[in-house]
Every structure is written in structure tokens, then in C-alpha cells.
Amino acid sequence: MASNAPVGKPTDMSSPRLPKVAGIDSTVPAPPHTVAPLPGVPSAAPPSDAALPPGVLIQDRLASWVSDLTTLHELTERLIKTDSLDGALREMLGAGAALVGARRGMAVLEPADGLGPTSTIGLGLAHADLGTIETVPRGSGSYGRLLDGLPEADPPGAGLPDADPPGAGLPGNGPTAPRRPARVPEPIAIRDVRTEEGLDPRHREVAARLGYAASYALPLATEEAGRLGAAVWLYDEPAEPDERRRHLIGLYGRFATEHLARLLQVERARARVATVTEELLPSRLPRVPGVRLAVRHLTGPQGGGDWYDALPLPEGALGLAVGSVSGTGPSALAAMGRLRASLRAYAVMEGEDPVAVLSDLELLLRLTEPARSATALFAYAEPAQRRIVLAGAGHAPPLVVGDHRTEFVETSLSAPLGMLTCWEAPSVELSPAPGETVLLYTDGLLRRTGDATDRAFARLHAAASSVPRTDRSDPGAVADHVLRTLLPGGLDPAVEGEDVVLLAARFE
């Protein structure tokens, strides 16, 4: 039995060992955490100051650096997934609180070029708390000093001048010098609000009311992006982040600023597209005896070519139109504006014949924009007689909603404008009963549901049938109910897709 005894130290040889990662012995104890990390994110902590052998000290530092890199990687991955300014500010506030060891904070978005948008987001602070902080004189608050201390001449994205001055590049004049990048101020740390010199008494009063004793403010600015805003984190006790934490939040803050700058450009582009779209569509709906109108128009991020119109015509008649131009972006918006203006002219000249109106529109589209197609529906309505004559070009049929029926109007199948050498389709006449509402809509309403065409039509019919009787006297309430039922989450502005137009006409 003795000959079968193991050689050496059985405990040392057979005891399990944790695997090594990147050459670092995982048996070396990790430095203690001083702040609770974010869920699922490793927290960075400074190395121990205790006396350690040189090899262990190097390994400890390497482990700390790897932890820092892992932390920043995880936090920036979370941030890059945000697609809105508010979402990015909230994510940045939460990540920054973990990095600096604070519990509450606020972020102010205030671009230096003054073009907006502006907003204030709080972490662990109610709306009333943010209002209370804003009562502190701007020059006394740390974030206010950061916002006002930057030059205003360099907007986000400032680089070389847009154009050289006269004579630049000619012999003797030389090239234009590049614009100097914006200066980025240093963060502001207030270790103890009660003893800090130069603070306004109102600042100390607000700090006592809200229960914070220290703050750390970081500018949301880089030399390339300029000044976008500032963030400030609040401590419950006198404190300030050490050098290592300052370095980490500085790195993260620069990345967050660049991400915010990109989102700011997208937000401004969306706002410009929405403004242009609204300017190309009717500013208000006309008032015509015998009919009440309501419209709902939802625009995607790039702006589509969906449009609508309601035009008073001679002898108390009314022209109703909806349509969609192929494509998205500025070119589609321009084409939509030209098409709508042309249809208004044709409707005034020969609105009693919707087929003639669409035939003229098709000829104009084919001659002026041969590479583009469009769908359109035009209805000539006589509210006093409750009579409608309509024609459609590749467009979805209208839907009649009333107390006794909810049904689609039977129209003939026709091709979109610009698809055939010569477009032509017969018109359809209908007579809505008193109190019935006729819904005209674009294809975007069906396609935004994400269902197949047959399923989308069935859902639209079910949504219109389920309108409460108390709401059927209001065309706006009918339109709102249909939209809420078909698109319960609304139209996500970050998701590319077609616009949605819903025009409701209730006949008295």
C-alpha cells in the first residue's frame, strides 16, 4: 500500500486553479470596490496601497487597467445603442454616476451655437428638484460656469472655414488658416458646498434643501464638437473623485460628447424635414357647410412623399385628395410639393371629373419626372347633396364608417401614376348617409402595421368598426381611434418607413 502513495504534496497538485486571463493570474485578489458597479458592468477601483512584491504589484496594476478598459467598453457599448438625445443623456448620467461614485446628477444640453434643442435631464432628481437647482445664479453653479465659460464662436462640427475669403490662394495671399478649435474647460469639483469659497448663498441654501454636500461637473465638449452642454453629479457627503476616476470619466465624457454631437445633427435634420413637410401641406383645413374635416399626418425620420389636400371648389363643392410619391428625403418632398400644387390647379379647372384630374396629373408626372411614380386619390364632394365622385390611381380604397355600416368603397383596380404609357380608370360615385365618416388614407398606414396586405386591410376594418359611438360624431376622434388601434406604439421616429396620412370627412 505504501508503494501506491502519491508523490509530492497531494493538496497542491490536485487542488483546482482558476484560469488565467490575458496572462494575469486570477488568484491575485482584485482591489476592493468603493462604489457599487452598474448591473452587469465591472467597476474600476484603484490598486491597493499595501506593500506588495514587485511582480504582484505589476499584475495588480495590469488587472486594474484591464478592469478600466472593460468598464469603458461596456459603458460605451450601452451608450452607442441609444438613438435619441434624451436617451443618450440619461445613459450618460447613469454611467457617469458609477464612474465618479455619486448617486444623483443632472445633464444640461445647451449647444453653443444657440440653434438648440435644449433640455435638462435629472438622475435621482424630481422635476421640482431640477427647477430648484436652476434658481441658483448661473455664475455660481458649476454647470453654469462651464456653459458660460466656453467661446460661442465655434459651433458643433467647426473645422475649416466654409469658404475662403476673396483673393485666397492667389500669389502672395497664401491659403486660409484653419479655424482654431474650441477650448475645452476643465471639470469643476466642489468638495464641500458649505466651506467652498465664492459660492452664492442661494447655492448653499439649495444644497441644504436637496441634501447634497458636494458636486463634480464635467463639460460635454470636445475640440471637434464644440460645446454641447454640461453634466454635474451630486454627492450626499463631502467628497470628490480621485485622479483615476477623473481620468475615466474624462475619457467617457469625450466619447459621450461625440455621440451626442451625432445625435444632435440627426435631430436637427429631422426637425428641418418636418418643417419643410408641414410647409408643403395645408396649414389648416377649410370649413365647408355640410362636412367636418380632420387629418392626422405622421412623418418618418427622413420624410416621405405622402400628402393630403382639402380644397374648396365653386358652388359649395369640396376637393379631397391623398397621395404618395415614391422615395424619401428632400427629393421626394420636393416632388410631393410640385404634385400637390399641380393637382390643386387641375381640380379648380375640372374637379367635377376626377378621372380627368388624375389623367392630367399623370401626364405632368411622366413628362417632368419620368423616373418617379406616385399613387393618388381625388374625390369631388358635394356636401349639400352628400354626393362623392372619386377616382384612384394605384391607391387604397376609402373606408366608410357609420352607425349601420363599416365598409370599403368598391373601386376599380388601377396602376399608379407614371407606370403606364397612358393612365385611365373609371370613377366611382357614393352617397354617404348623414353622420357617416369617409376615411382617406395612404399606403403607409397599412404598411406600418407590419402585416401582409390582406391582414392589414382586415385590421383597418376592425379598428374602424370598433370606434365608440360617442366618438363617431367627431372625425378627429375617429381618426385618433383608428391610429391608436393600428399603431398602439405610435410612429417610431427612429424607424425608417413611409409616412402615414389619415384624412377623415364626416357628412352632416
Side-chain angles (χ1 to χ4, degrees):
M1 298 294 293
S3 60
N4 296 328
V7 179
K9 297 181 180 180
T11 304
D12 293 343
M13 295 179 63
S14 60
S15 60
R17 291 181 178 271
L18 296 177
K20 291 186 178 182
V21 179
I24 300 174
D25 192 346
S26 54
T27 60
V28 177
H33 295 293
T34 57
V35 181
L38 290 178
V41 179
S43 177
S48 174
D49 293 332
L52 294 173
V56 176
L57 182 59
I58 292 177
Q59 288 184 343
D60 189 49
R61 290 179 178 178
L62 288 175
S64 176
W65 295 338
V66 171
S67 176
D68 290 348
L69 293 176
T70 304
T71 299
L72 290 177
H73 174 74
E74 294 289 344
L75 294 179
T76 53
E77 283 290 320
R78 289 187 180 187
L79 181 64
I80 204 65
K81 293 179 181 178
T82 58
D83 54 10
S84 66
L85 287 173
D86 281 358
L89 287 173
R90 295 184 189 279
E91 175 63 30
M92 182 270 302
L93 270 180
L99 290 176
V100 302
R103 187 172 60 90
R104 293 179 291 172
M106 62 180 291
V108 180
L109 181 67
E110 188 178 303
D113 56 11
L115 300 179
T118 61
S119 64
T120 301
I121 302 295
L123 172 68
L125 296 171
H127 184 73
D129 297 335
L130 297 177
T132 302
I133 293 176
E134 291 177 347
T135 63
V136 176
R138 192 175 173 98
S140 176
S142 53
Y143 76 91
R145 287 150 60 187
L146 290 177
L147 294 178
D148 295 339
L150 286 173
E152 301 291 334
D154 296 312
L160 296 178
D162 295 335
D164 291 339
L170 297 179
N173 291 334
T176 303
R179 180 182 299 175
R180 295 178 59 187
R183 180 181 60 86
V184 178
E186 294 296 325
I188 298 177
I190 301 179
R191 179 173 179 79
D192 192 341
V193 176
R194 295 168 299 180
T195 60
E196 183 78 12
E197 297 181 359
L199 293 186
D200 190 275
R202 178 60 180 170
H203 192 163
R204 307 184 198 277
E205 179 184 347
V206 168
R209 177 181 301 180
L210 298 183
Y212 70 89
S215 65
Y216 184 75
L218 181 76
L220 299 178
T222 64
E223 294 182 352
E224 294 76 15
R227 185 200 76 193
L228 301 185
V232 57
W233 291 275
L234 308 177
Y235 296 88
D236 297 338
E237 300 293 337
E240 64 176 322
D242 56 24
E243 182 179 355
R244 187 160 173 264
R245 291 183 178 274
R246 287 173 181 254
H247 179 66
L248 288 177
I249 190 61
L251 294 176
Y252 180 77
R254 285 193 288 273
F255 181 86
T257 301
E258 296 295 336
H259 182 61
L260 287 171
R262 291 189 291 269
L263 293 178
L264 182 63
Q265 293 177 357
V266 173
E267 183 68 23
R268 288 178 174 178
R270 289 175 182 170
R272 287 192 293 267
V273 168
T275 300
V276 172
T277 302
E278 294 301 323
E279 291 296 328
L280 291 175
L281 296 174
S283 57
R284 61 182 180 86
L285 295 175
R287 294 184 177 181
V288 177
V291 65
R292 295 172 58 192
L293 302 175
V295 68
R296 299 295 183 264
H297 182 212
L298 306 178
T299 306
Q302 294 186 356
D306 287 16
W307 53 276
Y308 66 91
D309 207 347
L311 177 66
L313 297 174
E315 301 179 359
L318 176 68
L320 300 175
V322 292
S324 178
V325 176
S326 60
T328 59
S331 63
L333 291 176
M336 177 265 285
R338 292 190 293 267
L339 207 64
R340 172 180 168 267
S342 301
L343 185 140
R344 291 175 70 92
Y346 297 146
V348 171
M349 293 186 295
E350 45 192 358
E352 296 183 13
D353 187 357
V355 173
V357 173
L358 293 184
S359 296
D360 293 342
L361 194 65
E362 195 275 339
L363 178 60
L364 175 70
L365 183 68
R366 182 156 45 88
L367 293 177
T368 58
E369 300 186 57
R372 194 181 297 275
S373 63
T375 64
L377 186 146
F378 177 73
Y380 177 81
E382 295 176 315
Q385 291 77 31
R386 293 195 304 277
R387 172 177 176 267
I388 300 177
V389 182
L390 61 89
H395 209 80
L399 183 62
V400 180
V401 182
D403 292 336
H404 304 289
R405 63 169 176 168
T406 299
E407 60 185 25
F408 290 100
V409 178
E410 294 186 4
T411 58
S412 59
L413 184 63
S414 61
L417 303 176
M419 297 293 290
L420 301 178
T421 304
C422 181
W423 176 90
E424 186 173 355
S427 61
V428 177
E429 183 174 334
L430 68 145
S431 298
E436 288 187 332
T437 300
V438 179
L439 297 179
L440 309 180
Y441 52 92
T442 57
D443 295 340
L445 178 62
L446 302 174
R447 295 178 181 173
R448 280 283 186 169
T449 62
D451 295 328
T453 303
D454 293 344
R455 174 63 178 164
F457 274 116
R459 288 185 57 189
L460 174 59
H461 186 277
S465 301
S466 64
V467 175
R469 290 186 177 274
T470 55
D471 292 339
R472 294 192 177 186
S473 60
D474 182 1
V478 173
D480 290 336
H481 177 84
V482 171
L483 286 177
R484 285 196 306 267
T485 306
L486 284 181
L487 306 174
L491 191 66
D492 189 348
V495 176
E496 295 185 9
E498 297 186 57
D499 295 355
V500 172
V501 170
L502 183 59
L503 178 61
R506 184 183 187 276
F507 290 84
E508 305 294 343

